Amino acid sequence: MLLTLAWGSLFFPGLFALCTWGLRRARPGWTSFDCVMISTRLVSSVQAVFATGSGIIIIRSCSDVATDRHWLAREYVWFLVPYMIYDSYAMYLCEWYRTKEQDRRHSLTTFRNFLSQNRLMITHHAVILFVLVPVAQSLRGELGDFFVGCIFTAELSTPFVSLGRILIQLKQQHTLLYKVNGFLTLTTFLFCRILLFPFMYWSYGQQQGLSLFQVPFNIPFYCNVANAFLIAPQLYWFSLLCKKAARIFDTPQPKKDG
């Protein structure tokens, strides 16, 4: 545990510092905010690839979805803890550079604006650290790692979300890449963050001889409540993505002269 925590504490801030340094050298015309923001997105994408890969390995190794265990489930949770702490600071650092470039003084107001504008994401990080980590590591009893692996795969959409933010920062919203990435963002988010929950219910039902609709009535009530709390913010974020996608594809094309 301690070794994994130490590796995570070194890896994510170190990768962020390396990316920021590299971008400043490669793109001297970019602002500090550009470099920091893009570095933050790159590190998030790397973490998402690690999490998704770990989740796939865990899922494929668990033939019994209710009881099978895999060492990677426990270890990656510990690797994730430093990332959540680092990412919270990185988001604040982005806000600090953004306000600095707007000639605003760094003060308590900046911190308040950061909390106000990132309420849902900060809450998301806090729930992972103070609720999901204890549940995954000790409070779930004999429940197997299949479901932990499924939750890890929810990160598959993160690289596409990050690329979209980077393209916006670089003012590339008009490009085909931006539209294709928007479609991939919606698709991966739908399958890995929304349909993931019915998939977990279906997998359990297949093993227990239950239909998908019978599963909620044959598992502990707190499992349904926990899943409801997990999927609620995903549905909200998905609705925002859909609205954004509608604006992208409904934008009228400029008329050609003649």
Side-chain angles (χ1 to χ4, degrees):
M1 177 190 77
L2 293 178
L3 183 60
T4 306
L5 285 170
W7 275 113
S9 300
L10 291 173
F11 178 77
F12 294 113
L15 181 60
F16 171 77
L18 180 62
C19 289
T20 304
W21 175 82
L23 288 173
R24 283 173 173 166
R25 292 289 299 272
R27 293 289 186 270
W30 285 3
T31 65
S32 296
F33 171 68
D34 289 335
C35 295
V36 169
M37 190 281 293
I38 292 174
S39 296
T40 301
R41 296 297 174 183
L42 291 174
V43 175
S44 296
S45 297
V46 170
Q47 189 283 137
V49 171
F50 285 170
T52 302
S54 299
I56 292 172
I57 292 172
I58 294 165
I59 290 170
R60 289 177 61 87
S61 70
C62 294
S63 55
D64 188 317
V65 303
T67 59
D68 280 358
R69 297 280 181 148
H70 193 283
W71 65 269
L72 192 55
R74 184 173 297 274
E75 288 303 312
Y76 195 79
V77 169
W78 291 128
F79 193 62
L80 190 63
V81 169
Y83 168 76
M84 289 297 165
I85 298 171
Y86 144 80
D87 194 50
S88 298
Y89 175 73
M91 289 192 301
Y92 173 71
L93 196 61
C94 288
E95 177 67 16
W96 188 85
Y97 274 106
R98 186 181 69 82
T99 55
K100 181 181 178 182
E101 290 177 4
Q102 294 176 351
D103 295 327
R104 297 179 187 174
R105 295 182 61 187
H106 175 52
S107 63
L108 186 60
T109 303
T110 302
F111 184 69
R112 288 174 177 170
N113 289 339
F114 165 71
L115 293 179
S116 175
Q117 295 172 10
N118 297 277
R119 288 190 302 268
L120 191 55
M121 187 59 69
I122 294 170
T123 302
H124 171 69
H125 282 32
V127 168
I128 290 176
L129 286 173
F130 299 112
V131 178
L132 295 186
V133 169
V135 168
Q137 299 298 60
S138 59
L139 300 181
R140 60 190 169 105
E142 298 301 317
L143 187 65
D145 291 335
F146 174 85
F147 303 105
V148 176
C150 287
I151 297 299
F152 285 167
T153 62
E155 289 294 308
L156 180 60
S157 62
T158 298
F160 302 104
V161 173
S162 295
L163 178 57
R165 296 288 180 85
I166 292 173
L167 291 173
I168 290 173
Q169 186 64 26
L170 299 178
K171 297 180 173 57
Q172 297 296 309
Q173 299 97 312
H174 62 283
T175 61
L176 177 61
L177 175 60
Y178 184 75
K179 292 185 177 182
V180 171
N181 183 73
F183 173 76
L184 293 174
T185 301
L186 280 176
T187 303
T188 53
F189 203 101
L190 174 63
F191 279 93
C192 295
R193 295 206 177 206
I194 307 297
L195 299 182
L196 172 70
F197 292 91
F199 170 74
M200 290 193 292
Y201 278 65
W202 176 82
S203 299
Y204 180 80
Q206 287 291 105
Q207 186 169 291
Q208 302 296 322
L210 301 170
S211 70
L212 174 63
F213 301 103
Q214 290 175 315
V215 171
F217 304 101
N218 287 272
I219 60 175
F221 178 70
Y222 66 83
C223 292
N224 292 316
V225 173
N227 285 329
F229 274 106
L230 288 174
I231 198 174
Q234 312 305 329
L235 291 171
Y236 172 72
W237 281 322
F238 186 67
S239 68
L240 295 181
L241 288 173
C242 288
K243 291 177 182 177
K244 186 176 181 180
R247 290 197 299 269
I248 293 173
F249 291 103
D250 287 344
T251 301
Q253 297 296 324
K255 294 182 180 179
K256 296 181 179 180
D257 294 336

